[in-house]
Amino acid sequence: MAENSNRAIDLGDGVYQVMVPFPNPLKHTLVYAMESRNGLVLVDAGWDDDAAWAGLQAGIESIGYSMADIEGVVLTHFHPDHTGLVGRVREASGAWIGMHESDYQWFDLMSEPRSPETLEKNLANLALAGAPSIDLGVFEGIGPGHAPVGPESRPDRILAADEIISLGGRDLRTVWTPGHTPGHVCFLLEEAKTMFTGDHVLEKTTPHVGSYVYPLEEDDALADFMESLRRVGSMDVIRGLGAHGLPIADVAARSAALIEHHEERLAHLYRDFGDDQLTVWQVAERMRWYRPWDELPAMGKQMALSEGAAHLRHLVGRGRVAQVAGTEPALFARVSD
Ligand SMILES: [Zn+2]
Ligand SMILES: [Zn+2]
């Protein structure tokens, strides 16, 4: 037995929850283990560090299994707090790793340490958003960083929308829910009407939307996200199990509340435009965040900027706001009725 005392929680229906430590304000990634024909299938794996690995291992052992009994891992999306440990799980067990095709491409990107070229590209990208040079200096200071996952974590089972994964006698349905990431999926354990919602629906947290591409992303991620919330909200689900925080008692109600939250933000953003012409940066500055804009740490600003860009992109998609022709960095203004 591992010395770590982390114990899994028995949720019934042959489903267990393991709280895997995550060095982030969210504190944990919740990994779910489902009993299957030849052992366990996991939903997500957790952040890649030794504390997380010890926590996952102890949780699995607390229900009478060992890491060698892991048959497969299904990933809700590519973020490293979900995918980080899959390489170690595969090494210990030979498990297959499944993920939706639209997130698969990110593994190459995440398996390389951040290079000076990548940093330069990011800074050029931020300049297109209208970031003032004084702020660009802050982003430069974020540092090189380690690769969040290695090539050994690469999925070997590419999942399509609605693909059924057999758990030996019961089915796990892949529900494609783009928005938080392009290839985010939820997994529905059909007989138990239980949905693993990853970062798509969380009980307390509002999931991040946006792709860090400026001035405007090609995809309307917010439109995708709201459409995915409608899809999940219309499904026959008794309980939702998210990857962070508490279980979701009413997935339909929580999905509707998240849509409402974004509709309000869109309305505020449109109103706050007034008659001004704004860069993406200025759009983000005008929106409301968990702290005043000037007090956000560099990473928080990055996330806020991409979330602001996603809202702006959506207003452009709705024809309410448009880019002012010939401006660089791009300026945006309300479209008069
Ligand atoms: Zn995520
Ligand atoms: Zn997450």
Side-chain angles (χ1 to χ4, degrees):
M1 285 287 281
E3 281 170 38
N4 190 297
S5 62
N6 198 29
R7 296 190 66 82
I9 299 165
D10 185 347
L11 299 172
D13 299 313
V15 177
Y16 302 87
Q17 181 196 70
V18 183
M19 296 173 80
V20 175
F22 175 30
N24 175 280
L26 291 169
K27 291 199 176 108
H28 297 100
T29 300
L30 304 178
V31 170
Y32 297 95
M34 291 168 290
E35 285 167 349
S36 181
R37 188 184 290 116
N38 301 313
L40 296 173
V41 169
L42 303 186
V43 179
D44 290 331
W47 181 256
D48 183 13
D49 69 17
D50 290 339
W53 176 245
L56 178 61
Q57 202 174 349
I60 296 299
E61 288 175 359
S62 76
I63 52 173
Y65 288 90
S66 80
M67 293 312 284
D69 297 322
I70 303 197
E71 188 183 321
V73 184
V74 290
L75 297 171
T76 57
H77 64 298
F78 76 85
H79 286 162
D81 53 318
H82 300 253
T83 56
L85 281 177
V86 281
R88 289 208 219 186
V89 171
R90 176 188 268 159
E91 200 185 335
S93 62
W96 53 263
I97 300 167
M99 157 174 264
H100 188 268
E101 50 197 346
S102 300
D103 265 18
Y104 178 70
Q105 51 174 325
W106 291 91
F107 269 81
D108 283 335
L109 213 67
M110 288 200 311
S111 299
E112 305 272 334
R114 239 179 286 160
S115 64
E117 295 82 62
T118 319
L119 182 63
E120 217 162 283
K121 244 170 110 185
N122 287 347
L123 291 179
N125 194 222
L126 283 163
L128 288 175
S133 53
I134 188 161
D135 280 291
L136 285 175
V138 174
F139 292 119
E140 214 156 356
I142 292 178
H146 71 290
V149 300
E152 70 283 355
S153 302
R154 177 178 285 281
D156 50 5
R157 186 168 172 179
I158 305 303
L159 302 173
D162 284 318
E163 187 162 334
I164 299 288
I165 297 147
S166 171
L167 300 178
R170 51 188 191 156
D171 290 342
L172 188 68
R173 179 181 292 275
T174 308
V175 181
W176 186 31
T177 51
H180 178 65
T181 67
H184 191 289
V185 285
C186 297
F187 294 99
L188 178 63
L189 186 58
E190 295 192 315
E191 67 164 26
K193 295 184 180 178
T194 293
M195 185 176 272
F196 302 98
T197 59
D199 281 358
H200 179 53
V201 185
L202 296 169
E203 180 64 18
K204 285 268 180 312
T205 310
T206 309
H208 176 264
V209 179
S211 72
Y212 306 90
V213 173
Y214 312 116
L216 276 197
E217 348 178 13
E218 202 176 304
D219 291 339
D220 189 341
L222 187 55
D224 291 344
F225 183 57
M226 292 198 285
E227 184 51 39
S228 298
L229 287 169
R230 272 178 218 111
R231 183 175 317 139
V232 160
S234 71
M235 294 180 80
D236 189 12
V237 172
I238 290 175
R239 63 172 168 178
L241 299 171
H244 307 284
L246 296 168
I248 306 146
D250 186 338
V251 172
R254 181 61 186 149
S255 300
L258 287 168
I259 293 169
E260 185 55 33
H261 165 83
H262 287 290
E263 286 295 355
E264 274 171 25
R265 299 210 79 179
L266 288 163
H268 287 160
L269 174 56
Y270 182 74
R271 185 199 62 204
D272 291 348
F273 249 96
D275 295 325
D276 296 340
Q277 298 188 347
L278 304 175
T279 62
V280 177
W281 185 271
Q282 290 165 331
V283 161
E285 265 179 337
R286 281 196 188 184
M287 291 174 73
R288 202 165 307 151
W289 307 104
Y290 62 96
R291 273 186 214 170
W293 176 260
D294 289 333
E295 292 170 24
L296 287 175
M299 192 57 207
K301 261 188 190 159
Q302 290 248 38
M303 291 180 75
L305 189 64
S306 69
E307 180 109 12
H311 284 79
L312 181 65
R313 170 70 184 83
H314 192 65
L315 285 182
V316 169
R318 287 187 182 182
R320 316 231 36 214
V321 165
Q323 185 173 341
V324 181
T327 49
E328 191 182 323
L331 291 169
F332 295 85
R334 283 208 316 212
V335 174
S336 46
D337 303 305

